[in-house]
Amino acid sequence: MTEAAKDIDVDVLVVGAGVTGIEQLHRALKAGFSARLLEAGDGVGGVWFWNRYPGARLDSESYTYGYLDSKELFEGWEWQERFAGQPENERYFNYAVDKMGLRPYITFGARVTSAVYDEPSATWLVKAGDGTELRTHFLIAATGVLSIPVFPDVPGRTDFKGIAHHTGLWPDEPVDFRGKRVAVIGTGSSGVQVIPAVAGEVASLTVYQRSPNWCTPLGNEPITAEQQLELKAGFEQMRETLNESVSGFLHQLREEKTFDATEEQRREFYEKMWVSPGFSKVISHYGDMMTDPAANADWCKFMAEKIRGIVKDPATAEKLIPRDHGWAGKRPPFVTNYFEVYNDPKVSLVDLRETPITRVTETGIETSEGLREFDIIVWASGFDFGTGALNRMGIRGRNGLALEDYWSDGPHTFAGVMAHGFPNFFFPAGPHGAAGNNPRYGGDQVEFIDDLIQYSRERDYRVIEVPEDVEDKWNRMVAEMAAYSSFGEHSYFYGANIAGKPKAFLLNPAGRPMLREMIGAVLENKYQGFLA
Ligand code: NAP
């Protein structure tokens, strides 16, 4: 160990006890590093800790979402539902943390407010809001892409005297919706989950919608005892399939093209797709669904008919049909009894394109149509996606370079894990992550970091930094391939939901295969240029 290394408190400091941070901490300890984890919340689970709103639920199959490195860990937990709800997910992460013996290494209630790189010692001094101060050799921010809730910029928002919560900052104690006049603002994946979950209890429910989404049935169901046995018996095969899968799901790609099928065959297939679970409706759809606009429009026409068939009031049905994007033009939400709730006379839909919110008052919400009074307002208004958390952490790299300045025109990364000018700093499952089943591609990144820090330790290097040209190559790939993504510039994947946010693609548009290819090239070159 060098002189400089003596001053550190830990070798590895992880920030965030979500799905990725937990795995990174586990790996660091397993590799024999001294490690700690700082978590802003009071518990583990990341999004599954913060998003405890009624109806919050996975849309990746539960058993494909957890940690799959250890068969023992897998076998010790029986998922109850194909798509587990928030309480079950939170319980799972607590189970996993305890089973892996990680809890003693986690400090809760410690939101990192600054992290400054010290060039001579090649270490980071990290400070948190609770007064924690730690010097670490490697800083790994697993702070998530959907961890900074945002509110619409409407006048008077904080004047409201009733109960108001953002879905991403939901309180621990239950919110009593019984007999209440409730407003939900936003109809993204969170809004469309909370709406049917509370509709049965309320006195009235008013949904404020700016843009509808292509919502389709989630297809949740309990996992039977027989299926539990099958899952256990098929564990290795499942893990292998997930490891090889482009997007980290078990769903298989389909080669057949839309218009190779007759109208009758398409209709039959669409009926099957409509009820097929979760992301199978994206991955196992006709192979040209994302590339042929006519194919996409044909499926959208079918979905529009479905919506018209479910929602009895024709005017409401029309408002619920998206017109500004096709299938997967935005991240599609998956729902349970969503469209059905609009047949309940207690539920009404306000189209904000027709009647925008003018202000929030002490008692309710005023649109150009007038004031409606409420007891509860649910803000399901989204997040500062991708860069939100990292840009707020006070990260200062070489020569005091602020991460938010380096990223002032959007993220510059290598593989969505490192940035030039920020040595010994990593951010798995952050911006430029692949789209898909989060823990699977996040796991690829965690593994890359784990291998890299072990490699540098074995050879006594102190500094790990991505070379500029390697980072440039990745960023050029992102810029070029973004044009082929199904996500349009109006989606939050381009930062479109935040006023003033630079328009830059925030995902890895070429997905897991490209991630592996570019990481593979670095490994083949034995991290050439990365280590000093
Ligand atoms: P979101 O998809 O960004 O949706 C935010 C909603 O708020 C949109 O309907 C948006 O309308 C509306 N909104 C934003 N600003 C507004 C304004 N100024 N006035 C009126 N309406 C406004 O956020 P989210 O629903 O929280 O979901 C975020 C992501 O979290 C999802 O895409 C998904 O990746 C993840 N998530 C996953 C699950 C799951 O099933 N596993 C559940 C929840 C969330 P516009 O569309 O017009 O902008």
Side-chain angles (χ1 to χ4, degrees), residues 176-419:
D176 187 1
F177 282 89
R178 282 171 306 174
K180 301 288 189 333
R181 298 164 302 168
V182 178
V184 176
I185 298 165
T187 50
S189 300
S190 305
V192 300
Q193 283 187 333
V194 79
I195 289 163
V198 302
E201 300 180 13
V202 299
S204 71
L205 176 61
T206 309
V207 177
Y208 288 85
Q209 171 191 273
R210 189 165 64 182
S211 330
N213 277 296
W214 289 113
C215 299
T216 55
L218 175 64
N220 187 32
E221 56 187 17
I223 300 175
T224 62
E226 201 185 332
Q227 286 166 332
Q228 299 287 9
L229 292 175
E230 281 166 18
L231 281 170
K232 282 180 188 148
F235 171 71
E236 274 90 5
Q237 177 61 51
M238 178 180 85
R239 185 167 60 183
E240 207 181 305
T241 308
L242 292 171
N243 277 342
E244 282 162 16
S245 152
V246 170
S247 46
F249 288 103
L250 295 175
H251 314 303
Q252 296 297 305
L253 292 166
R254 184 183 304 272
E255 287 192 1
E256 191 188 354
K257 294 204 166 92
T258 303
F259 298 110
D260 289 346
T262 64
E263 196 174 341
E264 200 186 333
Q265 288 167 331
R266 288 203 301 277
R267 182 138 205 116
E268 199 181 313
F269 178 70
Y270 291 158
E271 289 288 355
K272 260 198 242 154
M273 274 288 112
W274 177 257
V275 291
S276 75
F279 277 95
S280 66
K281 279 191 268 269
V282 178
I283 297 159
S284 309
H285 217 302
Y286 284 128
D288 55 354
M289 186 47 51
M290 305 306 166
T291 50
D292 179 356
N296 199 299
D298 198 53
W299 163 241
C300 289
K301 196 169 144 225
F302 171 87
M303 289 189 290
E305 275 170 33
K306 279 281 178 202
I307 297 168
R308 291 186 186 106
I310 300 169
V311 180
K312 296 208 170 83
D313 173 43
T316 304
E318 291 312 310
K319 285 179 187 163
L320 290 165
I321 297 170
R323 317 220 178 246
D324 64 345
H325 66 282
W327 179 237
K330 289 180 176 179
R331 197 272 202 203
F334 300 102
V335 292
T336 307
N337 295 327
Y338 173 61
F339 293 116
E340 289 80 352
V341 296
Y342 292 96
N343 294 331
D344 182 337
K346 290 188 311 221
V347 179
S348 56
L349 180 66
V350 176
D351 184 342
L352 293 175
R353 304 234 180 245
E354 287 172 6
T355 52
I357 296 177
T358 46
R359 66 184 178 123
V360 177
T361 71
E362 289 189 3
T363 58
I365 296 174
E366 196 180 87
T367 65
S368 49
E369 242 181 358
L371 176 72
R372 289 197 195 199
E373 299 202 316
F374 297 109
D375 305 305
I376 301 176
I377 298 180
V378 177
W379 296 94
S381 46
F383 298 85
D384 184 350
F385 181 81
T387 48
L390 292 170
N391 277 345
R392 283 169 174 81
M393 265 174 63
I395 294 163
R396 303 289 174 263
R398 271 191 207 284
N399 306 315
L401 177 63
L403 186 68
E404 63 272 28
D405 289 342
Y406 188 54
W407 286 358
S408 62
D409 57 351
H412 300 273
T413 81
F414 167 67
V417 287
M418 315 168 69

Side-chain angles (χ1 to χ4, degrees), residues 16-19 22 39-53 56 65 85-87 89-91 93-94 103 108-109 111 166-173:
V19 59
I22 291 169
E39 163 57 49
D42 298 328
V44 300
V47 292
W48 300 109
F49 173 83
W50 296 103
N51 292 262
R52 51 182 70 242
Y53 59 86
Y65 187 82
Q86 179 275 334
N89 288 325
E90 193 183 5
R91 283 198 302 277
F93 284 109
N94 278 286
R103 205 171 290 273
F108 293 102
R111 181 179 290 279
H166 191 289
T167 50
L169 276 175
W170 203 263
D172 201 5
E173 62 279 4

